[in-house]
Amino acid sequence: MVLSILFLLLGCVDKGQEYDRQEQEVYELLKDYKINEDNYLIYNVLISENQKKLTLSFPYKIETLNIEKMSLMQDSKIVLKETPIIGALENKITFKLTEYIPEFNKMKATLENNKIIILDTGQYFLEKFEEFDYPKNNMEVATIIKSHLKFENGKLISTTVFSKKDESKIELKFPKKIEKYISNLSFKKEELENITVKYSLQCDISQNILLDKNLDAVMVDISLVQNNKGKKWSVIKSSVPIQSIDYTIDK
């Protein structure tokens, strides 16, 4: 009996040591790792709401670090203190933004053993878009019948079909910071049969969105916004990943 307990305790020690070793390995890998990416996000939030979920991805298992607390930083300045952590799984960590911040590029994390580490997250730009609460005010949200989006060879193409139930208009929203990279923009509405309407988007996104800052990748939010007599609601938001391979044209 005593030997069984001893072996059990030794097993726990071995597992604890293995966990500490894995944590130290990930810590060493992440502490100096630079994520060479920009993210242009639309921070769509209800006027009455002040929290938004956000998920960050890392190249290694962030859950191994067992993060207890985290803050967000822009360079050396803390821009949001102690953001509530929802959970960490594999290489992703999800948390709440308790207030709007326009940008961040680092995460300050306090680990379970009170070790503090500052991790590079890549650059995040957030553009605030306040939504009118349609459901609370008994306003009908446009129903999406089908939607398709693709980005290749520098061209973004999207089609979305809605059921038409009122006189709402559908508007296109890009983050303002990327507008200088967009050209040949076309956003058209087409009335279809069976009381449906199709919105078609085409535009070019310049490769300079990568080249200007020598980036490996960029993520861009695109939103279709329902406008009912000046009251706006983000019906659908898509995140478009952009890499150099997207500008490779087959000959």
Side-chain angles (χ1 to χ4, degrees):
M1 182 68 165
V2 173
L3 285 174
S4 298
I5 294 173
L6 179 59
F7 286 137
L8 182 61
L9 290 173
L10 287 173
C12 291
V13 170
D14 289 342
K15 288 180 181 178
Q17 289 175 343
E18 175 65 16
Y19 178 83
D20 290 342
R21 184 185 64 78
Q22 290 177 351
E23 181 185 61
Q24 186 63 29
E25 285 179 357
V26 173
Y27 172 83
E28 293 297 332
L29 288 167
L30 281 175
K31 70 175 185 176
D32 296 319
Y33 193 92
K34 300 298 179 186
I35 298 177
N36 194 30
E37 299 176 4
D38 276 4
N39 300 267
Y40 297 90
L41 307 185
I42 297 171
Y43 181 88
N44 57 305
V45 61
L46 292 177
I47 294 172
S48 59
E49 190 178 280
N50 63 352
Q51 294 192 348
K52 190 77 175 173
K53 283 200 307 185
L54 190 62
T55 298
L56 301 180
S57 298
F58 293 89
Y60 304 103
K61 290 185 177 181
I62 192 74
E63 65 175 11
T64 309
L65 294 180
N66 205 10
I67 296 171
E68 291 281 290
K69 295 188 297 184
M70 62 175 285
S71 303
L72 297 177
M73 304 173 66
Q74 177 63 32
D75 299 326
S76 60
K77 179 183 178 183
I78 292 179
V79 292
L80 192 59
K81 188 176 180 180
E82 292 192 21
T83 59
I85 298 170
I86 296 172
L89 182 63
E90 294 294 330
N91 66 328
K92 299 179 186 294
I93 185 166
T94 302
F95 58 95
K96 288 182 181 179
L97 288 170
T98 52
E99 61 183 81
Y100 169 71
I101 53 172
E103 59 186 3
F104 68 90
N105 57 16
K106 290 182 173 67
M107 181 180 86
K108 182 179 180 180
T110 302
L111 309 187
E112 190 179 50
N113 57 11
N114 290 320
K115 184 184 292 182
I116 293 176
I117 179 173
I118 294 177
L119 304 177
D120 188 275
T121 63
Q123 180 65 59
Y124 281 76
F125 298 104
L126 295 91
E127 181 175 316
K128 192 171 187 179
F129 173 64
E130 290 186 332
E131 300 183 328
F132 188 80
D133 195 337
Y134 274 26
K136 186 177 180 180
N137 289 274
N138 296 317
M139 293 176 66
E140 197 161 11
V141 178
T143 303
I144 299 168
I145 305 299
K146 59 181 177 180
S147 183
H148 175 71
L149 182 148
K150 70 175 181 178
F151 179 72
E152 60 183 12
N153 297 333
K155 186 176 291 292
L156 179 68
I157 299 173
S158 170
T159 57
T160 307
V161 176
F162 297 91
S163 63
K164 186 178 180 182
K165 297 179 180 178
D166 55 33
E167 296 305 311
S168 292
K169 297 178 181 179
I170 301 296
E171 301 172 346
L172 173 67
K173 182 171 180 58
F174 285 100
K176 290 183 173 61
K177 283 183 177 291
I178 73 153
E179 288 179 353
K180 63 182 179 180
Y181 297 111
I182 296 174
S183 60
N184 303 318
L185 175 62
S186 171
F187 187 58
K188 295 180 179 179
K189 173 184 175 183
E190 181 183 355
E191 301 279 352
L192 304 177
E193 297 178 355
N194 302 321
I195 320 178
T196 58
V197 58
K198 180 172 77 173
Y199 285 84
S200 301
L201 163 67
Q202 287 193 38
C203 69
D204 296 325
I205 301 180
S206 170
Q207 192 174 4
N208 288 334
I209 199 170
L210 296 168
L211 299 178
D212 283 356
K213 294 168 68 175
N214 195 28
L215 298 171
D216 297 326
V218 166
M219 185 71 75
V220 175
D221 276 354
I222 298 169
S223 183
L224 294 184
V225 176
Q226 182 178 353
N227 185 342
N228 187 332
K229 300 178 181 178
K231 295 177 172 60
K232 299 186 178 185
W233 172 277
S234 181
V235 186
I236 182 171
K237 185 173 70 174
S238 304
S239 296
V240 181
I242 299 174
Q243 298 175 291
S244 294
I245 194 172
D246 295 313
Y247 295 89
T248 302
I249 300 175
D250 295 330
K251 295 183 179 180

